[in-house]
Amino acid sequence: MLREEDVIFRSNGSVRKRTKAPPPESGKKYRPMGDIMRTAKPVCPVNEDYYSYIRCEQCRSGEREDELVLCDRCDMGYHLYCLRPIAVRVPVGPWFCPSCTGGRTVRRFPQLQKMIVDFFRIQQSTNAPEDEELRAFHSEVRKRRRRSMPLVRHKKMRRILPFTPSKDPKQRLEQMCSLATALTALQMEFCNDLTYMPGMAPRSANKAIYEKGGMQLLAKKDKETLEICRTMYRRGECPPLVVVFDSCEGFTVQADKDIKDMTFITEYTGDVDYLEKREDDDCDSMMTLLLGTKTSQSLVVCPDKRGNIACFISGINNYTLEGRKKQNLKCVRYNVDGECRVLLVACRDITRGERLYYDYNGYEQEYPTEHFF
């Protein structure tokens, strides 16, 4: 017998019988939770005593437990300084040990000119006046180097020198490819400027007049050097540096040719944010940009999403004489047209193949470097 609920009236008045839905497919049958709980093996509750027996899987020591970090998958412990590469701080959020992550593989960036040009947004310009300006500037630099003067006076008038790019285009391509490899491995974008993102510090907050005790002005000649170096970088003429991966130090930078003392290496770039918003951040590459008279004015550069080769330059171990001897760069904050900028400059002659190091604690003694190599 046709029931009323089994009838569908169409818009034209005709009647169609409702078809019955097919029976559900027999899926996987699950055991009742009561049966599972009755047959499950008892597990000892985790308390403070459980963690008191944790040992570092590398050195087998349980000392310095404040520097022990536990894997969120296998619960094994490692000292921060026993990890390779070492970890500077206890990470925020989930962390997995080398055994659970299966090691780290670095995928090399394709050494193709078109991909390099796109990645670094190189401006392929044939602007003759700009070329003439570069030649005139380099000629002036050579004159400055040859000019003789008393030693004392020479030291007082020391100027920042522009870097000299490698002449071989293939060598420059290899250098930029190494940087692109490191940036993509950390899922970062290349950026050679300070960036001001929504939700972070605005550009109006970066004022050198807020610096506690004042900030030194960048001299006119040095400012010209900075702009010339930035112009060269936009044209694909990069500093003679390569980024290499070291099993102990991670990504690090070394000279690809001899570099003279007082040569400009790079500017420290990345997202600008307020220090008070980043106090609990585990990014180990943050750089002080502004130490304000008020805490709310202090700024940092955060190269966790955008940055350049500066974030891969290693820091020295301040606690050992051998560590301090490695320093070949100085990190200086300057007032450039009213804004704070951070420049890395060679503080002595650097030979080809030598790794670059500077003092992470040049302004504040807060960065833990006692376990650096």
Side-chain angles (χ1 to χ4, degrees):
M1 182 176 178
L2 188 64
R3 296 178 298 174
E4 183 177 354
E5 59 269 21
D6 295 329
V7 176
I8 295 178
F9 290 92
R10 295 180 177 177
S11 59
N12 59 4
S14 61
V15 177
R16 181 173 65 84
K17 183 179 179 181
R18 185 189 298 273
T19 57
K20 293 184 178 180
E25 297 180 1
S26 57
K28 182 179 179 180
K29 293 183 178 180
Y30 296 94
R31 293 173 57 196
M33 183 57 70
D35 293 346
I36 295 175
M37 296 299 293
R38 281 193 293 272
T39 58
K41 295 181 179 180
V43 178
C44 297
V46 176
N47 50 33
E48 294 181 1
D49 294 335
Y50 173 83
Y51 291 106
S52 64
Y53 295 100
I54 294 293
R55 297 289 182 271
C56 174
E57 295 298 306
Q58 188 68 30
C59 67
R60 307 306 303 171
S61 169
E63 297 180 355
R64 306 186 73 164
E65 57 184 25
D66 57 321
E67 297 187 16
L68 269 172
V69 58
L70 302 183
C71 177
D72 286 301
R73 182 171 295 165
C74 67
D75 228 17
M76 296 298 176
Y78 289 84
H79 284 118
L80 296 176
Y81 49 85
C82 287
L83 292 169
R84 295 295 181 269
I86 66 170
V88 178
R89 299 183 180 90
V90 176
V92 177
W95 177 82
F96 302 102
C97 69
S99 300
C100 291
T101 55
R104 184 176 190 175
T105 57
V106 179
R107 185 178 180 182
R108 183 175 174 80
F109 193 87
Q111 195 170 338
L112 301 173
Q113 185 171 352
K114 185 180 184 306
M115 296 188 69
I116 292 293
V117 168
D118 293 341
F119 186 85
F120 290 99
R121 299 182 292 277
I122 296 174
Q123 301 173 3
Q124 295 177 314
S125 173
T126 57
N127 191 348
E130 190 176 72
D131 293 341
E132 188 62 34
E133 182 183 353
L134 280 172
R135 283 194 291 269
F137 182 79
H138 286 301
S139 176
E140 174 62 25
V141 170
R142 286 192 293 270
K143 289 179 181 178
R144 265 192 264 162
R145 286 174 173 170
R146 291 195 301 263
R147 193 174 297 143
S148 61
M149 59 177 63
L151 181 61
V152 175
R153 186 183 172 199
H154 177 68
K155 287 187 175 181
K156 288 182 179 179
M157 298 182 63
R158 294 182 77 189
R159 298 299 186 203
I160 299 175
L161 304 174
F163 60 77
T164 304
S166 301
K167 294 182 179 180
D168 185 2
K170 291 183 179 179
Q171 189 176 6
R172 292 204 303 267
L173 187 66
E174 173 66 28
Q175 293 163 0
M176 302 193 84
C177 179
S178 70
L179 175 55
T181 297
L183 290 171
T184 52
L186 300 183
Q187 299 180 339
M188 291 175 58
E189 298 177 12
F190 173 75
C191 182
N192 214 30
D193 299 285
L194 295 176
T195 49
Y196 302 90
M197 305 302 294
M200 298 185 184
R203 185 165 187 171
S204 58
N206 183 8
K207 293 188 181 297
I209 57 174
Y210 295 155
E211 174 73 13
K212 185 178 181 180
M215 182 176 291
Q216 61 179 317
L217 285 166
L218 186 66
K220 181 181 178 181
K221 291 288 185 182
D222 293 340
K223 195 186 303 183
E224 293 174 359
T225 299
L226 177 61
E227 291 307 314
I228 289 295
C229 290
R230 289 168 59 84
T231 300
M232 288 194 291
Y233 221 127
R234 287 194 292 267
R235 293 153 51 99
E237 299 174 2
C238 59
L241 308 169
V242 289
V243 184
V244 296
F245 185 79
D246 183 274
S247 59
C248 293
E249 298 186 53
F251 286 112
T252 185
V253 181
Q254 67 184 35
D256 205 26
K257 64 179 293 188
D258 292 348
I259 299 175
K260 294 291 185 181
D261 183 17
M262 288 301 294
T263 297
F264 172 78
I265 302 298
T266 186
E267 179 180 356
Y268 209 96
T269 64
D271 296 338
V272 179
D273 205 355
Y274 290 106
L275 174 61
E276 59 185 7
K277 293 173 61 176
R278 295 279 184 151
E279 287 180 337
D280 298 324
D281 201 312
D282 62 347
C283 175
D284 61 356
S285 298
M286 285 191 297
M287 169 65 70
T288 301
L289 180 65
L290 170 63
L291 288 175
T293 52
K294 300 178 181 178
T295 307
S296 59
Q297 295 174 330
S298 297
L299 302 175
V300 289
V301 183
C302 310
D304 46 359
K305 295 181 180 179
R306 282 160 287 272
N308 60 5
I309 199 168
C311 65
F312 299 112
I313 299 178
S314 302
I316 63 169
N317 186 327
N318 302 83
Y319 294 81
T320 65
L321 178 61
E322 289 300 317
R324 291 192 292 271
K325 285 182 179 179
K326 288 183 178 181
Q327 183 173 355
N328 47 24
L329 300 182
K330 61 180 179 180
C331 174
V332 189
R333 293 184 295 128
Y334 284 106
N335 176 348
V336 182
D337 297 328
E339 293 184 345
C340 304
R341 306 271 283 275
V342 183
L343 308 185
L344 294 176
V345 181
C347 60
R348 61 172 172 82
D349 290 345
I350 304 172
T351 58
R352 182 179 182 181
E354 186 178 349
R355 292 190 178 176
L356 304 189
Y357 294 92
Y358 69 98
D359 188 357
Y360 281 6
N361 289 318
Y363 294 99
E364 310 89 21
Q365 302 299 319
E366 296 181 357
Y367 204 91
T369 65
E370 63 268 27
H371 302 305
F372 282 17
F373 295 96

